[in-house]
Amino acid sequence: MPTMAEVARRAGVSVSTVSHVVNRTRFVSPEKAQLINDAIAAMGYQPNELARSLKVASTNSVGLAISAISNPYFTDIICAVEAECARLGLMVFLSDTQEDPDRELQVVRAFHQRRVDGVILAPSGSPERAIAYLADKKLPCVLIDRFADDRFDQIGVENETAMRALIDHVASFGHRRIGYIAGQPGLATTRERVDAFHASLAANGLECLPHYVSPENVDTASATASTHAILSLPAPPTALVTGNNMTTIGAVRAIREKGLSIPRDLSLVGFDDFEWADCFEPRLTLVEQPCTEIGRQAATLLSERIASSHAPPRAVRLKATLQARESCARPVNRRSI
């Protein structure tokens, strides 16, 4: 690889002048700049980004630590973060923490060791060590989707109002026995949605029966098992609400395994609209989260935090939208399913 000194010799200028053109640190006359750029193009010179980052204390890169990259919800957010970072001139390093606190800490440390300018993190169910590391190292960070620590900028959705919209919708059909299949244990979003489920039932004058609620489901298989258990009760719910797209899939599987029809035998609504939700039969009623806007604003928040580390942390809640389709109907009057 050609060096900066070789470029300088070919262009007939000093090494420092080449450095100023490459790093845009000082004005260089257009004539000299053209000579240098011509030499760079002819020789195929590539700046040493590591050396540059050591000099200017910035790598123009950020780390994006997501808990489940394969989840379509996070895939949409990742695409939005990457697009906005590209617009801002930032490179994104992506890693999957796999909802594992040990892996999460390892990823955050690796990002820091690689001198990223900041981190966007979807916290695990037990993020204390990773968050403590970020705080100790004073590494700019935005927490995404899950509100875990108010020392950092955070962005997510209005879970309370979204859940209220779901329960109001279900209750409007006359349902009084409503069950809930919650998502991943330990997550702030899971706790917020469980609390909002209880509050929304109360606001509609409905009783929340503990055996109608499955508060923790780690994957689709556990959601399927929980749905089977609830639907096997002597007097099961006439409607089910699911806490995320994975529990929706698990619930649909259990409902079909029991030979039931949605919404004739059981109404089903939930969180996290996904691309193929309207390909189900019937089309599913779901809360659509603004994934693109979450990702875009997360990148913007981080860029602003990198530029101004002393500004007060911000908490941004975006509005989710109820996509009412055909999976909810009036309840069937039967004692058991």
Side-chain angles (χ1 to χ4, degrees):
M1 293 289 292
T3 65
M4 190 176 288
E6 290 169 335
V7 171
R9 281 196 295 272
R10 180 168 183 137
V13 298
S14 68
V15 173
S16 63
T17 303
V18 175
S19 176
H20 290 315
V21 169
V22 170
N23 295 309
R24 300 175 183 176
T25 50
R26 188 178 297 176
F27 173 78
V28 175
S29 69
E31 296 80 11
K32 285 187 178 180
Q34 187 61 53
L35 288 172
I36 293 167
N37 286 325
D38 288 346
I40 288 172
M43 301 177 71
Y45 170 74
Q46 293 292 328
N48 185 327
E49 290 297 331
L50 179 58
R52 176 187 172 279
S53 69
L54 291 171
K55 184 175 182 179
V56 301
S58 173
T59 60
N60 289 327
S61 64
V62 299
L64 176 57
I66 296 295
S67 56
I69 289 174
S70 61
N71 187 325
Y73 166 71
F74 280 121
T75 301
D76 291 343
I77 289 176
I78 291 166
C79 291
V81 168
E82 200 282 330
E84 184 64 12
C85 283
R87 190 189 72 80
L88 294 168
L90 300 170
M91 177 66 68
V92 177
F93 295 111
L94 174 64
S95 188
D96 190 341
T97 64
Q98 302 166 9
E99 295 286 10
D100 180 348
D102 292 335
R103 166 81 177 156
E104 179 179 50
L105 178 59
Q106 180 185 20
V107 167
V108 167
R109 280 176 171 164
F111 282 156
H112 182 233
Q113 290 164 359
R114 284 160 178 75
R115 300 177 61 83
V116 298
D117 296 334
V119 171
I120 296 173
L121 172 67
S124 69
S126 300
E128 294 81 10
R129 288 181 296 156
I131 286 177
Y133 183 91
L134 290 164
D136 179 63
K137 302 302 180 183
K138 295 181 173 55
L139 188 60
C141 178
V142 173
L143 304 180
I144 195 168
D145 183 61
R146 300 147 183 186
F147 285 61
D149 194 303
D150 58 13
R151 290 175 295 176
F152 296 92
D153 296 314
Q154 305 180 91
I155 185 167
V157 298
E158 297 175 352
N159 287 304
E160 183 177 349
T161 56
M163 182 62 77
R164 178 64 185 270
L166 273 176
I167 300 302
D168 287 353
H169 178 76
V170 174
S172 71
F173 285 88
H175 290 277
R176 302 195 64 80
R177 304 202 311 266
I178 304 173
Y180 184 55
I181 310 296
Q184 185 83 13
L187 300 182
T189 48
T190 301
R191 293 191 298 271
E192 288 179 5
R193 291 172 191 175
V194 169
D195 291 344
F197 175 77
H198 287 278
S200 298
L201 287 181
N204 278 275
L206 302 176
E207 183 181 5
C208 182
L209 300 177
H211 49 282
Y212 281 1
V213 178
S214 175
E216 297 181 348
N217 294 276
V218 298
D219 52 24
T220 56
S222 60
T224 298
S226 295
T227 304
H228 270 292
I230 289 176
L231 295 183
S232 298
L233 293 168
T238 58
L240 276 182
V241 180
T242 53
N244 59 34
N245 54 12
M246 299 317 226
T247 56
T248 298
I249 293 169
V252 168
R253 182 178 295 131
I255 292 165
R256 290 183 174 172
E257 287 173 355
K258 291 186 75 69
L260 303 176
S261 174
I262 304 170
R264 186 190 66 201
D265 300 314
L266 180 73
S267 291
L268 179 70
V269 301
F271 264 84
D272 289 349
D273 196 19
F274 44 92
E275 188 175 1
W276 59 90
D278 59 359
C279 297
F280 278 70
E281 184 59 41
R283 296 162 66 238
L284 300 178
T285 292
L286 297 169
V287 166
E288 179 184 9
Q289 301 197 63
C291 299
T292 298
E293 192 61 15
I294 290 172
R296 187 192 71 78
Q297 290 201 33
T300 301
L301 282 170
L302 183 60
S303 176
E304 292 173 354
R305 176 59 56 194
I306 292 168
S308 179
S309 61
H310 299 297
R314 290 161 291 181
V316 179
R317 293 275 189 177
L318 301 180
K319 184 178 179 180
T321 306
L322 178 64
Q323 299 293 345
R325 299 188 180 105
E326 295 125 21
S327 61
C328 194
R330 294 195 64 81
V332 176
N333 290 320
R334 57 175 69 180
R335 179 165 179 77
S336 62
I337 293 179

